[in-house]
């Protein structure tokens, strides 16, 4: 990002930031709904100081502060090369396609921006050519989706699958048309020069602002595969938005994993490449079937302990599985892999595809050998059981890894390498900025900083500008039975149905477990199945996530029925519904981390060994942060109004309930069913009035 150097280039950054946010400044002239906010400017100036001086800044910015502009404005004005990392691909697209272009235009800067995702987000031309050889295309829906991709492939420039409207991210056609680190042929690929991944990386190296996601940042511990080995050394400013997800994302990527999905992909690619490149030179069909059977038998082991999703694996055998069955299944995988490698040895010089398959088979054997040995120090091992089965070994947090990354890249050299102030060539400290709406409940934000290895960081907390007491209320229904009682789900579904019917929909139900998701979804769908109430019940998993979100945002407008959305997991955060399409958020119970989860148990054990109480120092802070995330779905704008219902009486009967209530925004508290009904009526009157306005 070339700018005319000033006598002291960075000394004017804070002044430029202030002018941009001031009344009559660049933002007020170009942004129709912009208004100066003290908290937003306070954060922006802190970011500017960190860019000037280098170091690490952690900022918790409450909902409504406008944190995106708070870090984008100073980073853009600084003239530095910047890496922006956010939590999801959807947020990446929003930053790159909406927020950055608006600000670049508003500030009048000649800035080049680029979007860089993981290779699984881009079309692979070589694998698309091979896709028709896969047995999966016999499925009609897969063949139909593949045909759409083939048609789109003729016109796309970027190859980013996000361009394809209404493409279901769960479609089995996507792995057939994309590559992974395992099956990419690299420079040996016949489509190497046209590779969309390579093109995206080249654009990132040439850009001033590069938008990535946390998954990509951690995808390879050596940062070679992701393309960041070349990118990071040239970047002086690194910003992590939605940073509260950083630790959990990093833990999974920094560990070791071997899954049945990986084995099935290997089997299918072995069959497709073998039939295409060396038909008759080996029993490719038999080899593929053998590996698929081994993967299937390994996965079927988890059905014996269903519905457990994570099985502890502290000894030689995961909890709940027989030693004979476990070792037998792994031996079957090993044997299938060895036989595939023997056949590949004969044909490996015929095509690069065979060389890559040979490398993949060797890597699978190496992983099996690693999992046969002891677990690494300060790590935990488990089996992920579900539609696939995955062997996982992961560190308890990312502290060591992040500290190493910070130490290895504390400075960057100005001058020709960065295009910044030619001739100075001095080393200057890199700036690292971490921000989110929810990073902890104590002043030092230890919930976030400690597992991320950022104890020495500068910390700033900026409160939300919303008037929560006037805009919102929290209600704990004291008549509900405890969450452990079998009648809790039916009672909560009754309350939700009554309230949603009163509001005409406008209701989001957040569950802490998939079991509760299915139960509440079933009960509510059964109640409103005949359509007489004019309500539609949407349930996560019954359709693409994007479609569910879009349908809920429409609500009862455009002649549609009002909506109740029952969701879990990813809907607790990043789901933004401003306006009166959402007026009631219901959380089924307090979101404590599951005590039987292997990662939770290992972290709790480490805390107990250090002489502290795991519940106080781990479970309670985790629940408080999750509760704040869920509650944050309710009020997204200064004019929003709504009610938060938490269906767990422990919030008012247990001593720790006060601490959890204090973690919520300062909403007024409803004490009775009558007050709850009155608050619902007030929302109904407001919605009716708003909808009648021209």
């Amino acid at each position: 990002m070339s700018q005319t150097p000033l006598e002291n280039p960075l000394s004017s950054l804070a002044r430029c930031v202030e002018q941009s946010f001031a009344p009559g400044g660049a933002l007020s002239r170009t942004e129709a709904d912009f208004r100066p906010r003290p908290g937003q400017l306070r954060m922006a100036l802190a970011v500017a100081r960190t860019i000037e001086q280098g170091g690490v800044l952690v900022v918790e910015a409450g909902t409504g502060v406008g944190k995106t502009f708070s870090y984008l404005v100073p980073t853009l004005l600084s003239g530095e090369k910047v890496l922006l990392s956010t939590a999801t691909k959807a947020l990446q697209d929003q930053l790159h396609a909406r927020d950055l272009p608006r600000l670049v235009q508003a500030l009048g800067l000649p800035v080049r921006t680029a979007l860089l995702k993981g290779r699984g987000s881009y079309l692979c031309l070589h694998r698309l050519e091979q896709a028709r050889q896969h047995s999966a295309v016999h499925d009609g829906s897969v063949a139909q989706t593949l045909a759409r991709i083939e048609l789109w492939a003729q016109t796309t420039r970027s190859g980013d699958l996000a361009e394809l409207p209404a493409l279901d991210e769960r479609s089995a056609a996507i792995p057939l048309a994309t590559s992974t680190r395992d099956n990419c042929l690299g420079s040996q690929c016949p489509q190497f020069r046209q590779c969309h991944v390579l093109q995206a990386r080249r654009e990132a190296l040439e850009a001033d602002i590069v938008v990535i996601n946390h998954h990509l940042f951690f995808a390879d511990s050596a940062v070679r595969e992701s393309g960041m080995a070349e990118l990071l050394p040239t970047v002086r400013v690194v910003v992590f938005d939605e940073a509260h997800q950083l630790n959990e994302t990093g833990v999974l990527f920094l560990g070791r994993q071997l899954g049945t999905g990986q084995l099935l992909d290997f089997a299918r690619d072995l069959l497709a490449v073998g039939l295409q490149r060396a038909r008759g030179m080996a029993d490719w069909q038999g080899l593929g079937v053998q590996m698929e059977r081994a993967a299937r038998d390994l996965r079927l082991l988890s059905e014996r302990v269903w519905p457990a999703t994570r099985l502890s694996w502290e000894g030689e055998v995961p909890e709940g599985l027989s030693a004979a069955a476990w070792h037998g299944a792994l031996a079957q995988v090993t044997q299938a892999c060895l036989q595939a490698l023997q056949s590949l040895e004969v044909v490996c010089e015929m095509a690069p595809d065979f060389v890559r398959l040979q490398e993949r088979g060797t890597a699978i054997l190496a992983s099996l050998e690693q999992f046969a040995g002891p677990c690494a120090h300060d790590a935990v091992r488990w089996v992920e059981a579900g539609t696939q089965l995955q062997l996982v070994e992961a560190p308890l947090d990312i502290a060591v890894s992040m500290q190493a990354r910070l130490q290895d890249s504390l400075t960057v050299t100005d001058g020709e390498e960065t295009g910044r102030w030619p001739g100075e060539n001095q080393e200057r400290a890199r700036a690292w900025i971490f921000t989110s709406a929810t990073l902890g409940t104590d002043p030092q934000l230890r919930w976030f900083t400690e597992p991320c290895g950022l104890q020495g960081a500068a910390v700033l907390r900026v409160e939300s500008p919303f008037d929560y007491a006037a805009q919102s209320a929290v209600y704990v229904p004291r008549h509900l039975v405890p969450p452990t009682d079998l009648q809790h789900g039916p009672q909560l579904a009754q309350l939700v149905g009554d309230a949603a019917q009163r509001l005409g929909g406008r209701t989001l139900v957040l569950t802490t477990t998939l079991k509760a998701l299915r139960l509440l979804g079933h009960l509510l769908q059964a109640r409103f199945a005949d359509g007489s109430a004019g309500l539609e019940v949407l349930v996560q998993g019954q359709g693409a996530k994007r479609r569910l979100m879009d349908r809920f945002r429409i609500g009862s407008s455009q002649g549609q029925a009002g909506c109740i959305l029952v969701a879990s997991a990813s809907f607790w955060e990043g789901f933004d519904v401003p306006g009166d399409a959402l007026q009631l958020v219901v959380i089924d119970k307090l979101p404590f981390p599951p005590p039987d989860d292997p990662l939770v148990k290992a972290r709790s054990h480490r805390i107990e060994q250090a002489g502290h109480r795991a519940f106080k120092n781990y479970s309670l802070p985790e629940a408080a942060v999750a509760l704040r995330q869920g509650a944050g779905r309710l009020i997204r704008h200064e004019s929003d109004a709504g009610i938060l219902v938490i269906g767990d009486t422990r919030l008012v009967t247990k001593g720790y309930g006060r601490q959890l209530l204090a973690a919520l925004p300062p909403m007024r508290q409803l004490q009775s069913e009558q007050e709850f009904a009155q608050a619902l009526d007030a929302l109904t009157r407001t919605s009716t009035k708003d909808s009648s306005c021209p």
Side-chain angles (χ1 to χ4, degrees):
M1 188 185 313
S2 301
Q3 293 182 350
T4 304
L6 303 176
E7 183 177 347
N8 189 353
L10 285 176
S11 64
S12 62
L13 179 57
R15 179 169 52 84
C16 291
V17 168
E18 269 193 318
Q19 290 173 349
S20 298
F21 283 101
L27 296 180
S28 65
R29 293 195 304 269
T30 57
E31 296 291 317
D33 59 349
F34 176 82
R35 63 178 183 81
R37 300 170 184 163
Q40 187 177 48
L41 178 59
R42 184 181 171 209
M43 175 179 171
L45 291 175
V47 171
R49 283 194 299 272
T50 305
I51 292 173
E52 287 179 322
Q53 301 166 8
V56 182
L57 172 67
V58 175
V59 186
E60 182 183 79
T63 306
V65 166
K67 63 180 171 63
T68 304
F69 278 23
S70 288
Y71 66 73
L72 284 181
V73 169
T75 53
L76 285 168
L77 290 172
S78 72
E80 301 286 357
K81 190 175 179 72
V82 180
L83 191 68
L84 300 179
S85 180
T86 191
T88 65
K89 289 183 285 187
L91 290 172
Q92 269 187 279
D93 291 331
Q94 177 181 306
L95 269 175
H96 183 257
R98 189 188 74 180
D99 298 331
L100 274 170
R102 284 166 59 190
L103 277 181
V104 167
Q105 183 177 9
L107 298 172
L109 298 173
V111 175
R112 296 167 297 176
T113 65
L115 184 65
L116 185 60
K117 299 179 181 179
R119 63 169 64 252
S121 296
Y122 298 98
L123 172 68
C124 174
L125 296 170
H126 179 59
R127 285 183 61 79
L128 184 63
E129 288 180 353
Q130 295 181 321
R132 292 295 175 184
Q133 300 290 330
H134 280 265
S135 57
V137 298
H138 298 307
D139 183 313
S141 63
V142 173
Q144 186 178 19
T145 302
L146 200 60
R148 287 183 59 213
I149 294 175
E150 288 170 335
L151 186 63
W152 165 76
Q154 300 173 22
T155 59
T156 181
R157 178 186 171 275
S158 71
D160 186 347
L161 290 170
E163 293 178 0
L164 263 171
L167 177 65
D168 189 344
E169 63 271 16
R170 302 166 299 174
S171 172
I174 292 179
L176 303 183
T178 59
S179 68
T180 66
R181 181 178 57 183
D182 289 334
N183 59 37
C184 175
L185 301 180
S187 60
Q188 299 300 309
C189 178
Q191 299 282 358
F192 181 70
R193 297 185 66 179
Q194 292 78 36
C195 177
H196 291 297
V197 175
L198 209 60
Q199 175 185 314
R201 291 179 181 172
R202 283 195 294 262
E203 291 177 357
L205 286 170
E206 295 169 358
D208 305 307
I209 309 289
V210 184
V211 183
I212 65 168
N213 58 57
H214 304 341
H215 291 268
L216 182 60
F217 186 82
F218 285 111
D220 187 322
S221 59
V223 294
R224 288 190 298 269
E225 193 278 330
S226 65
M228 288 179 58
E230 298 83 15
L231 180 61
L232 192 56
T234 69
V235 172
R236 213 196 126 248
V237 179
V238 184
V239 180
F240 292 94
D241 196 356
E242 301 297 318
H244 64 279
Q245 294 192 22
L246 206 59
N247 184 49
E248 296 307 316
T249 300
V251 159
L252 293 179
F253 278 96
L254 295 176
R256 299 189 301 227
Q257 300 185 40
L258 176 64
T260 54
Q262 183 180 346
L263 302 178
L264 289 172
D265 286 343
F266 177 74
R268 290 164 186 163
D269 288 348
L270 183 71
L271 175 61
V273 174
L275 292 179
Q276 186 179 42
R277 307 282 191 186
R279 185 182 292 269
M281 297 192 68
D283 181 13
W284 304 113
Q285 187 80 37
L287 291 170
V289 168
Q290 186 179 10
M291 179 60 79
E292 285 188 355
R293 184 184 299 118
R296 182 198 63 207
D297 290 348
L298 184 61
R299 182 186 62 79
L300 288 175
L301 290 177
S302 65
E303 292 190 356
R304 304 180 185 182
V305 290
W306 188 262
T309 54
R310 285 184 175 179
L311 309 179
S312 294
W313 186 3
E314 298 176 4
E316 291 189 9
V317 181
E319 183 181 25
L321 302 181
S322 76
W326 177 250
H327 293 305
L330 293 182
Q332 190 178 354
V333 173
T334 301
Q335 183 62 25
C337 198
L338 286 170
Q339 292 193 2
L341 286 171
Q342 289 174 1
S343 296
L344 288 168
E345 184 68 31
V346 178
V347 299
C348 66
E349 295 183 3
M350 294 181 62
D353 303 81
F354 288 126
V355 176
R356 197 70 185 105
L357 281 167
Q358 192 176 41
E359 292 172 352
R360 290 166 63 185
T362 303
I364 290 170
L365 283 178
S367 293
L368 288 167
E369 184 177 339
Q370 287 178 334
F371 280 109
C375 183
H377 171 69
D378 209 19
V380 58
R381 184 179 286 181
W382 72 85
V383 169
E384 197 90 26
T387 54
Q388 296 183 12
L389 184 141
Q390 194 136 350
L391 285 62
V392 183
E393 182 178 306
L396 301 187
D397 56 42
I398 64 171
V400 173
S401 174
M402 284 302 297
Q403 286 171 352
R405 291 181 185 218
L406 292 174
Q407 287 297 323
D408 289 344
S409 56
L410 281 177
T411 58
V412 65
T413 303
D414 293 327
E416 293 182 2
E417 286 188 18
T418 61
R420 184 78 165 123
W421 311 314
E424 289 191 12
N425 291 320
Q426 63 179 20
E427 287 192 339
R428 300 175 55 246
R430 195 183 304 274
W432 297 81
I433 293 119
F434 302 81
T435 184
S436 173
T438 309
L439 291 176
T441 56
D442 66 288
Q444 295 305 310
L445 304 177
R446 288 192 296 269
W447 175 86
F448 172 74
T449 57
E450 290 183 358
C452 290
L454 304 175
Q455 290 91 328
V459 172
L460 173 66
R461 301 184 75 184
V462 183
E463 297 296 329
S464 169
F466 296 157
D467 186 352
Y468 280 101
Q471 294 179 248
S472 60
V474 59
Y475 174 53
V476 181
R478 288 164 173 78
H479 67 277
L480 288 182
V481 296
T484 52
D485 193 301
L486 293 177
Q487 288 304 306
H488 179 266
Q491 287 185 10
L492 186 61
Q494 180 70 39
L495 182 148
V496 170
D498 292 346
Q501 196 162 353
R502 208 161 183 162
L503 287 173
R506 312 173 192 274
T507 299
L508 171 65
V509 182
L510 297 173
T511 68
T512 52
T513 65
L514 292 178
K515 182 179 179 181
L517 170 77
R518 288 189 287 266
L519 175 62
L520 291 171
H522 170 73
L523 292 171
L524 289 167
Q525 285 183 330
R527 172 172 174 173
F528 297 111
D530 63 5
S532 60
L535 294 179
E536 181 180 359
V537 180
L538 309 171
V539 180
Q540 184 180 359
Q542 297 179 6
K545 179 180 176 182
R546 187 181 301 176
R547 186 189 69 79
L548 294 176
M549 288 181 169
D550 291 343
R551 171 66 188 94
F552 185 82
R553 289 188 180 106
I554 292 172
S556 57
S557 64
Q558 302 179 20
Q560 300 280 341
C563 282
I564 303 171
L565 173 57
V566 185
S568 186
S570 56
F571 281 83
W572 279 69
E573 52 190 76
F575 182 32
D576 192 6
V577 189
D580 64 3
L582 174 58
Q583 294 187 320
L584 179 64
V585 172
V586 180
I587 295 176
D588 69 329
K589 66 175 183 177
L590 296 178
F592 287 113
D596 293 333
D597 182 278
L599 191 53
V600 172
K601 285 199 295 186
R603 288 170 173 169
S604 298
H605 180 66
R606 182 172 65 175
I607 291 170
E608 298 283 354
Q609 280 190 317
H612 304 294
R613 292 176 55 204
F615 180 79
K616 178 182 177 182
N617 292 279
Y618 177 63
S619 297
L620 204 54
E622 288 283 325
V625 169
L627 204 58
R628 289 180 65 188
Q629 283 289 342
R633 300 312 97 216
L634 185 62
I635 304 298
R636 308 299 298 176
H637 193 271
E638 287 89 345
S639 60
D640 289 354
I643 304 170
L644 171 68
V645 173
I646 302 174
D648 194 332
T649 55
R650 290 178 293 178
L651 202 58
V652 292
T653 61
K654 299 292 186 180
Y656 57 75
R658 290 191 297 273
Q659 185 174 337
L660 293 175
L661 279 171
L664 292 172
M667 303 172 172
R668 68 185 187 278
Q669 295 186 32
L670 305 176
Q671 302 296 334
S672 66
E673 293 182 62
Q674 182 181 4
E675 289 186 11
F676 178 51
Q678 290 171 347
L680 288 172
D681 288 342
L683 288 175
T684 305
R685 289 193 298 272
T686 303
S687 301
T688 304
K689 179 180 177 181
D690 290 345
S691 64
S692 64
C693 292

